[in-house]
Amino acid sequence: MMQDSLDLTTLIFLGLAVFVIWKLRSVLGQKTGSERPPFNPLARREEPPAAAPRDGDNVVRLPGTGPERGAAAPVATAVPRNWKGLVEPNSPAARGLDLILQQEPHFDPRAFTDGAKVAYETIVTAFAKGDRKTLKSLLSREVADGFERAIQGRERAGQTVETTFVSIDRAEIVGVDVRNRVAQVTVRYLSKLITATRGPQGQVVDGSPEKVVDVTDVWTFSRTLGSRDPNWQLVATEAGH
């Protein structure tokens, strides 16, 4: 009798369990077609199609440049803009900016200048450290060769360079040239640096590890307008006055 009672109770509970599971599946198991896939924390988010970066690409991208999805088609003629505060109105630089906008309506000179500050600090720091990987992607072949010769010269002499940025007081566009879709934008930098070169024994052979110096540099960046590659490369450098 005890065994029969136990079997009957077990059968009742099993029946209830089957009923509950069937009800849950009827409510929660229906697919509506709008379910999200399981979250994968390692999966990359989908992004708009873009040009594939080069291997090891660590280019400092200057914002406000390059083609954007949904960008308007280039206008037929350059429309003069008021570039007050950026370049002199009606100057060659102003006309150059107009030509860039003719081919890339979303170009933002102010954002470009902000990005140029980041590029300047990145390149100067990488050169001081002898970081060839970073320099390679930021420089044209000619400039990269010049930097490489300087780095090799330091290495042969057993010298190291210490550079600390105190501030970048100004970065201003001083020249713009557009020829055959290739744009070159020249930027003058006024900065304050602490820089010192040490010899093999750690002795200071140039500069000072404590003195802040004013530095003026004039750099030219280049890029092919309308290309899918948004990267600008440094193509020329000179000490400013």
Side-chain angles (χ1 to χ4, degrees), residues 11-219:
L11 289 173
I12 291 173
F13 278 110
L14 284 174
L16 288 173
V18 171
F19 176 76
V20 170
I21 292 173
W22 176 78
K23 290 296 290 182
L24 286 174
R25 286 178 59 84
S26 67
V27 175
L28 301 179
Q30 296 177 354
K31 293 186 178 292
T32 65
S34 60
E35 292 82 4
R36 294 184 179 180
F39 173 68
N40 182 357
L42 299 180
R44 296 180 56 185
R45 294 183 179 180
E46 292 186 359
E47 299 177 353
R54 295 187 297 270
D55 292 339
D57 183 18
N58 52 3
V59 171
V60 177
R61 305 181 189 277
L62 281 68
T65 64
E68 301 180 16
R69 189 174 63 172
V75 295
T77 58
V79 178
R81 309 282 181 109
N82 181 8
W83 299 116
K84 185 177 181 180
L86 281 172
V87 295
E88 288 295 324
N90 302 317
S91 65
R95 290 191 290 273
L97 291 178
D98 292 336
L99 290 173
I100 292 179
L101 280 177
Q102 177 183 352
Q103 300 189 52
E104 293 191 354
H106 290 277
F107 176 79
D108 184 347
R110 289 178 175 81
F112 175 92
T113 302
D114 290 338
K117 292 180 181 179
V118 177
Y120 178 69
E121 183 170 353
T122 300
I123 292 172
V124 170
T125 301
F127 174 66
K129 294 179 178 180
D131 183 354
R132 293 175 169 86
K133 182 178 180 180
T134 296
L135 292 174
K136 181 180 179 180
S137 58
L138 297 172
L139 313 177
S140 68
R141 182 183 299 274
E142 293 76 10
V143 175
D145 289 345
F147 277 38
E148 176 63 21
R149 288 192 294 271
I151 292 173
Q152 289 180 356
R154 292 197 318 242
E155 292 174 344
R156 286 193 295 268
Q159 297 177 344
T160 57
V161 177
E162 302 169 356
T163 298
T164 301
F165 269 86
V166 177
S167 64
I168 299 179
D169 298 330
R170 180 181 297 181
E172 57 182 354
I173 296 174
V174 295
V176 182
D177 183 62
V178 180
R179 298 182 184 180
N180 298 324
R181 294 182 57 224
V182 176
Q184 292 191 347
V185 181
T186 301
V187 181
R188 179 187 290 121
Y189 299 92
L190 304 178
S191 62
K192 288 182 171 61
L193 303 176
I194 299 174
T195 182
T197 301
R198 296 184 181 274
Q201 308 304 319
Q203 74 279 18
V204 176
V205 296
D206 189 28
S208 169
E210 300 176 355
K211 183 180 179 181
V212 177
V213 295
D214 294 319
V215 177
T216 301
D217 282 312
V218 179
W219 287 10

Side-chain angles (χ1 to χ4, degrees), residues 2 63 71 117 144 223 227 229:
M2 181 67 71
K117 292 180 181 179
R223 178 177 169 272
S227 69
D229 185 356

